[in-house]
Amino acid sequence: MQTEKEAEDDASPEEYVALSNFTGSGSDQLSFSRGDRLLVHAKPSSEWWWAELREVIGYVPADYLRERAAEEEEEEEDTSLEDPWQDEEYFGSYGTLRLHLEMLSDKSRTEAYRQVILSNRASLRNKVVMDLGCGTGIISLFCAQLAQPSVVYAVEASSMAVYTRQLVKQNGCEESVTVLQGRAEEIELPEQVDVLVSEWMGNCLLFEFMVESVLLARDRWLRDGGVMWPSSAALTLVPCQANSYYAEKMAFWEQPYGLDFTPLQPLAQQEFFTKPKFSHLIEPDDCLTAPCDVISLDMYTLQVKDLEEMKGQFHFCAEKSGVLHGFTAWFTVHFESLETGGAAVELNTGPYSEPTHWKQTLFMLDRPVSVFAGDSISGSVVLRRNPVWRRHMTVTLTWNISSSTEDTDNCQVGTKSFPMWR
Ligand code: GJV
């Protein structure tokens, strides 16, 4: 027979650390981000565990978690001992194939970089190139195969670099591609570079803040007059409907099996609408207005300190009547040509282009608002970088919806902040 104490021990949840981000689907899966600590209450199968995060409970995929060591527990209260960049977890996850497979399988993304190199092949001849965060080395290999650079420095901090070196060899590119394993901030190069290419964009453009590494490398290694790829980036926003997501997470509680579960709606709002929904694919038809660029980055002049707080304004005009459930964001990057007058290449992750692995980011309002054709939706967006967790940020949306008719009652104002993820 178990004593009361033993029974208690059996039931006590174990602490685990998330190895990478996970976006739960359905109403019973938890979303979490790399570095989050989850309490695992039960392990009903080897693949799906029942866990808790910030007082919310749901299923989580077991292979995203690692057990927390006892010594980590002792450090618990002292966040100063933790790396605000969470590099061990970050580079740990890029040491496995899962994310590389996702990125390489993304045709729009990978083909855009291939196209940039192809359309600049003549100008790349004898140029010195740095590929920052080369991963499996795809961009460096495109460079070596499609153009004749004098050298490509392929910089990769994760352990994937060991394989990247093999891939370079296997594909006969070791003459021109040099793989350097290390953080871009710390590596030494024998020379300045003519071109700094990187695929650094995260969800909502800035999440992960890999762009900081790119800016630091630019200031240290890009020669005067050198070229940045991408050369500019923009974050785009659109007021939108999200009928099925709203139905699935919120309206669901109105009448499940003929019962009134609406007392759960505040909980649902907290659980599903507090953070933005990554990997949302918005239909063009769900856009209530034409989209608008709210933040633009010039990769030549952008400074690391500018990243602390980025502000944008918007003025939309509703093109049709509908329900405003929230705002959807995505980004576009441009690659300027090395040739004067040459065409730029664009990678657009929005709903009017082929879907990419970034998909789009949906920010749900707490309550839907009816809008009518001609209404004006104006306001601002602020991306505030987390002062402690340097890869995270909070997005604050402020809106003012006013009717085109003189009806003064129909003026709605609101503001909401969305942590991504802390
Ligand atoms: N130094 C070297 N490699 C890096 C760095 C850095 N500072 N930061 C990221 N990486 N678009 N959000 C590597 C990382 O290990 C991974 O292989 C790749 O760059 C990420 C690229 C896609 N992530 C993104």
Side-chain angles (χ1 to χ4, degrees):
M1 223 183 80
Q2 280 183 321
T3 63
E4 225 165 70
K5 178 77 185 72
E6 279 163 353
E8 217 170 71
D9 282 351
D10 272 359
S12 76
E14 297 166 51
E15 228 187 347
Y16 281 79
V17 180
L19 292 170
S20 64
N21 300 337
F22 175 74
T23 309
S25 62
S27 51
D28 60 352
Q29 292 180 11
L30 274 188
S31 293
F32 51 82
S33 44
R34 185 185 295 128
D36 275 347
R37 286 154 191 195
L38 293 97
L39 283 178
V40 174
H41 287 276
K43 298 177 178 173
S45 79
S46 56
E47 279 142 37
W48 292 96
W49 293 349
W50 186 241
E52 177 182 342
L53 176 66
R54 291 184 270 277
E55 289 165 14
V56 178
I57 294 214
Y59 281 104
V60 296
D63 57 354
Y64 278 58
L65 306 181
R66 75 163 166 80
E67 214 163 346
R68 266 192 90 215
E71 59 272 19
E72 284 179 85
E73 256 153 63
E74 280 157 27
E75 293 164 5
E76 177 145 56
E77 296 313 319
D78 192 357
T79 50
S80 66
L81 290 176
E82 280 185 59
D83 171 14
W85 285 84
Q86 299 167 292
D87 273 355
E88 201 178 312
E89 274 131 22
Y90 183 76
F91 292 122
S93 68
Y94 282 115
T96 66
L97 276 187
R98 193 176 61 85
L99 294 172
H100 295 289
L101 181 59
E102 190 184 10
M103 294 186 290
L104 292 171
S105 310
D106 180 343
K107 283 249 167 60
S108 310
R109 164 200 181 266
T110 309
E111 289 289 353
Y113 280 86
R114 202 179 102 89
Q115 190 53 48
V116 171
I117 287 150
L118 198 57
S119 56
N120 286 282
R121 61 192 303 178
S123 313
L124 278 169
R125 203 186 151 84
N126 296 327
K127 291 287 188 323
V128 179
V129 179
M130 161 149 55
D131 174 4
L132 195 162
C134 69
T136 52
I138 188 80
I139 299 173
S140 299
L141 293 169
F142 285 156
C143 267
Q145 289 209 320
L146 303 172
Q148 280 123 41
S150 77
V151 56
V152 183
Y153 296 109
V155 181
E156 174 54 48
S158 79
S159 58
M160 190 53 62
V162 174
Y163 291 93
T164 310
R165 233 173 244 133
Q166 291 180 31
L167 299 179
V168 166
K169 215 161 173 206
Q170 191 80 11
N171 289 281
C173 296
E174 68 269 43
E175 294 281 280
S176 51
V177 179
T178 304
V179 178
L180 301 167
Q181 181 171 5
R183 299 193 58 193
E185 291 84 340
E186 284 151 22
I187 48 115
E188 294 293 331
L189 300 182
E191 59 193 321
Q192 301 270 95
V193 305
D194 300 299
V195 177
L196 171 47
V197 60
S198 180
E199 193 279 85
W200 53 263
M201 300 79 72
N203 278 298
C204 222
L205 186 60
L206 290 179
F207 188 68
E208 290 178 44
F209 286 91
M210 181 176 163
V211 66
E212 175 168 325
S213 306
V214 174
L215 299 181
L216 294 171
R218 174 197 69 190
D219 294 346
R220 185 143 179 237
W221 297 111
L222 189 68
R223 73 157 171 80
D224 273 348
V227 165
M228 296 290 288
W229 278 341
S231 323
S232 65
L235 185 72
T236 306
L237 203 65
V238 73
C240 66
Q241 308 197 127
N243 279 312
S244 51
Y245 187 61
Y246 186 82
E248 182 190 316
K249 302 293 187 208
M250 189 57 71
F252 174 85
W253 307 104
E254 283 162 17
Q255 254 196 0
Y257 306 96
L259 298 165
D260 183 350
F261 272 32
T262 51
L264 295 181
Q265 282 185 325
L267 208 58
Q269 184 185 303
Q270 172 68 26
E271 199 169 324
F272 305 120
F273 299 166
T274 297
K275 289 178 177 172
K277 179 181 183 253
F278 283 2
S279 47
H280 179 65
L281 277 176
I282 188 183
E283 298 286 333
D285 208 39
D286 284 330
C287 300
L288 294 169
T289 74
C292 165
D293 287 354
V294 286
I295 286 170
S296 297
L297 308 183
D298 176 335
M299 292 304 292
Y300 294 94
T301 56
L302 182 66
Q303 300 296 314
V304 172
K305 64 171 166 31
D306 301 336
L307 300 173
E308 293 302 323
E309 189 171 273
M310 312 230 68
K311 288 184 186 171
Q313 305 265 324
F314 51 80
H315 299 279
F316 297 107
C317 177
E319 282 172 358
K320 55 184 173 192
S321 302
V323 178
L324 175 72
H325 284 114
F327 293 85
T328 293
W330 64 84
F331 65 84
T332 303
V333 290
H334 289 95
F335 303 82
E336 66 178 1
S337 174
L338 294 176
E339 280 135 59
T340 28
V345 174
E346 177 184 287
L347 169 58
N348 186 324
T349 65
Y352 302 96
S353 303
E354 280 297 301
T356 68
H357 78 288
W358 287 283
K359 302 187 181 155
Q360 290 108 31
T361 310
L362 171 63
F363 299 89
M364 292 291 280
L365 307 187
D366 288 339
R367 269 167 304 279
V369 182
S370 291
V371 295
F372 301 94
D375 283 2
S376 111
I377 304 170
S378 58
S380 66
V381 55
V382 181
L383 274 51
R384 199 168 289 113
R385 194 171 179 186
N386 189 305
V388 177
W389 305 105
R390 303 304 278 158
R391 296 194 186 277
H392 298 231
M393 64 182 176
T394 295
V395 176
T396 301
L397 290 165
T398 303
W399 61 90
N400 183 327
I401 303 161
S402 48
S403 160
S404 48
T405 64
E406 294 302 299
D407 182 1
T408 43
D409 286 345
N410 199 9
C411 177
Q412 287 253 8
V413 292
T415 185
K416 184 169 174 180
S417 287
F418 299 83
M420 277 170 82
W421 291 100
R422 296 200 233 212

